Amino acid sequence: MSLFKRFTVAVSTRLDRLVGDIENHDAVVEVGIRDSRRLFAQAKVRHQRLCRDGESLRQRLEGLREDERSWRERALACEPTPAGEDKALQCLRRAHQAARQVASLEQTWQQHQMVERRLAAEIDSLRERVAQLEHRRSLMRSREATATAAVRLHEIDRDPALDLDDTFERWEIRLTEAEMTVDSAVDSDPFEAEFVAAEERDALQAELQALRREQQSQVAGASLGGGQ
């Protein structure tokens, strides 16, 4: 079973078990996402270690190939004498031994590359799965918040005890009373009030004198008209 399938089965099993015990869907999804992230992190670490092992195999393979070439070159460089011939044959034996090791290690390295590519593909699938889960959780949270707000507003509209119009009216009354209190406090300066009262009295007296002069003028005019 691949890592991605094991991840899917593990998460699904745990979610199914928790759904029966927990009604908080957000908490259940959070557990699933946390498990997904942990599995993704584990797979990523395993892949990194696998890549390091693959690099070590590649370097060993290159070293063995270089050994094979070197031993063949040494065989050709040996002198054409009985002693040199023995050395040349020994060099070829070493070259053949290196070639066999190269062939064996090449198979191991190719298998290692296949596993590495498969694990990389599974890691990509895990990454996409985690991103999908997080995106769906964000969408569900937004929908839940919107639905909760809509339900609450509907309850407020239908509940006489939560009539917001009355609440706003009481609020406005309280603010008006507070503003009147502040205005009264501002206008209660006795020193200024004395000047205001005097100015008001002078204005009223001036208006009264004007009315009297107007009345006297009317009376005088009427007297002159009667004498004629």
Side-chain angles (χ1 to χ4, degrees):
M1 183 182 294
S2 67
L3 180 63
F4 180 69
K5 290 183 179 179
R6 289 198 299 272
F7 150 74
T8 303
V9 172
V11 172
S12 299
T13 302
R14 187 163 184 179
L15 286 177
D16 290 341
R17 185 171 63 252
L18 288 174
V19 165
D21 300 330
I22 303 176
E23 293 296 331
N24 188 343
H25 300 92
D26 195 357
V28 176
V29 172
E30 179 63 28
V31 170
I33 292 177
R34 188 163 56 246
D35 288 346
S36 303
R37 289 173 178 167
R38 186 180 67 255
L39 290 173
F40 170 71
Q42 292 174 352
K44 191 173 181 180
V45 171
R46 287 176 55 191
H47 182 259
Q48 291 173 350
R49 184 171 57 192
L50 198 63
C51 290
R52 290 194 298 268
D53 294 342
E55 180 62 20
S56 298
L57 285 174
R58 188 190 65 79
Q59 292 178 0
R60 284 180 56 195
L61 188 59
E62 289 297 326
L64 289 172
R65 287 170 177 166
E66 182 62 28
D67 289 344
E68 181 184 1
R69 287 191 296 268
S70 297
W71 285 117
R72 291 185 182 278
E73 291 175 357
R74 290 168 181 170
L76 293 174
C78 291
E79 296 180 357
T81 62
E85 191 74 10
D86 290 339
K87 287 183 179 180
L89 294 177
Q90 185 64 27
C91 289
L92 285 178
R93 290 190 186 95
R94 297 287 183 89
H96 290 169
Q97 181 180 2
R100 288 192 297 270
Q101 291 177 347
V102 166
S104 176
L105 194 59
E106 277 183 342
Q107 293 181 355
T108 302
W109 187 71
Q110 289 176 359
Q111 293 174 355
H112 187 91
Q113 289 293 102
M114 291 176 58
V115 174
E116 186 177 329
R117 287 192 295 268
R118 184 170 65 250
L119 184 57
E122 292 180 354
I123 288 175
D124 290 338
S125 298
L126 286 172
R127 183 187 296 108
E128 293 177 0
R129 179 59 176 167
V130 171
Q132 290 175 359
L133 290 174
E134 291 177 343
H135 180 65
R136 290 186 64 186
R137 180 185 60 180
S138 298
L139 290 178
M140 296 303 292
R141 282 178 173 176
S142 299
R143 289 179 59 188
E144 183 178 17
T146 303
T148 301
V151 170
R152 183 57 180 163
L153 289 175
H154 182 68
E155 292 175 351
I156 291 175
D157 291 339
R158 297 188 60 182
D159 190 352
L162 298 176
D163 190 350
L164 292 183
D165 291 335
D166 290 343
T167 302
F168 280 122
E169 184 176 349
R170 291 192 298 272
W171 192 0
E172 185 174 0
I173 292 173
R174 189 180 65 182
L175 290 176
T176 303
E177 292 176 350
E179 291 169 353
M180 292 175 63
T181 301
V182 173
D183 292 340
S184 298
V186 172
D187 295 338
S188 62
D189 186 355
F191 185 69
E192 182 181 4
E194 181 179 353
F195 285 98
V196 171
E199 292 168 355
E200 182 183 7
R201 181 178 179 83
D202 292 341
L204 292 174
Q205 287 180 345
E207 183 179 356
L208 179 60
Q209 291 175 3
L211 289 174
R212 287 174 177 173
R213 286 195 297 270
E214 182 180 357
Q215 184 182 29
Q216 291 175 358
S217 297
Q218 291 177 354
V219 171
S223 298
L224 291 175
Q228 293 177 354

